[in-house]
Amino acid sequence: MDMSALLGTLLSGNSVQSLSQASGASTQDVQNVLSAALPSLLQGALGQAQNEQTAGGFANALQSHAQSDTSDLGSFLNGLDLQDGGKILMHLLGANTNQTAQQVSAASGVSAKSTVKILAMLAPLLMNLLGKQTQSSSNSGSSIGGLMSALMGSGNITSILGSLLGGKVPSVSSAKPQSSGLDLMSVLMGLMK
């Protein structure tokens, strides 16, 4: 699997529809959030893989998430722990988690609450797909950082997303966050009530 195939899987009708049903958001909102968020999430994954302090833990997390059965995507998504998804987001995005969530919300035109829920469901699915990719590639003896670099180096994420979506991908960095602060974990706690 290369980056184009990985993104194609995440943006497939089945994935978008399953995320829509599990999150309660429209398929268009899900697609907008995915297209706005995936570049940041994948860059965060690459950063985790290439940092010698986090690479070992990231490799273990990928291996663990790869074990999840996603053959029935609806069941997988409905059984997710949103707090765990939030923790994955915080690992991938670090100190920029709340700001990135606000920017994704602004860029996608989707409410902050829906954006956070979609992202908390997307994160474990992304880890599952990346984990399966690294497992199938690990026979080469490459480091997790090398495998992620090879995956990420297979093309510009934004241009691949644009070609898969048939248009322009919203830019998170240019999106103006909402004036009210967003605390991702507080929103997730509210969603779980």
Side-chain angles (χ1 to χ4, degrees):
M1 181 183 292
D2 62 9
M3 182 56 65
S4 182
L6 183 132
L7 293 173
T9 299
L10 287 170
L11 295 168
S12 71
N14 182 41
S15 295
V16 170
Q17 184 66 35
S18 295
L19 282 163
S20 171
Q21 289 173 346
S23 68
S26 72
T27 55
Q28 187 61 55
D29 283 353
V30 169
Q31 192 168 17
N32 290 345
V33 168
L34 294 181
S35 63
L38 281 170
S40 296
L41 292 174
L42 289 165
Q43 282 301 125
L46 180 62
Q48 288 285 308
Q50 291 181 333
N51 181 321
E52 43 182 80
Q53 294 177 337
T54 59
F58 184 67
N60 290 338
L62 287 178
Q63 184 177 23
S64 175
H65 283 282
Q67 304 307 313
S68 298
D69 181 11
T70 57
S71 60
D72 181 351
L73 198 50
S75 292
F76 171 77
L77 293 171
N78 285 320
L80 286 178
D81 176 355
L82 293 180
Q83 280 189 295
D84 184 50
K87 290 175 186 174
I88 294 169
L89 289 173
M90 293 175 95
H91 282 289
L92 294 178
L93 301 173
N96 298 323
T97 302
N98 290 329
Q99 179 183 359
T100 301
Q102 287 178 358
Q103 290 173 334
V104 167
S105 175
S108 65
V110 178
S111 74
K113 184 177 177 179
S114 290
T115 296
V116 167
K117 189 169 186 178
I118 294 164
L119 291 176
M121 293 180 160
L122 172 63
L125 178 59
L126 176 63
M127 292 292 285
N128 174 271
L129 293 173
L130 288 173
K132 287 180 178 172
Q133 173 62 31
T134 56
Q135 278 183 340
S136 67
S137 301
S138 64
N139 297 336
S140 65
S142 298
S143 69
I144 187 70
L147 291 171
M148 286 295 298
S149 293
L151 180 65
M152 297 287 284
S154 63
N156 179 293
I157 298 166
T158 305
S159 65
I160 294 171
L161 277 170
S163 67
L164 290 170
L165 296 171
K168 187 180 177 207
V169 176
S171 172
V172 167
S173 60
S174 64
K176 301 284 186 243
Q178 302 162 346
S179 59
S180 61
L182 172 71
D183 180 3
L184 182 131
M185 292 309 280
S186 295
V187 173
L188 289 174
M189 293 299 290
L191 290 170
M192 295 178 72
K193 292 179 181 176

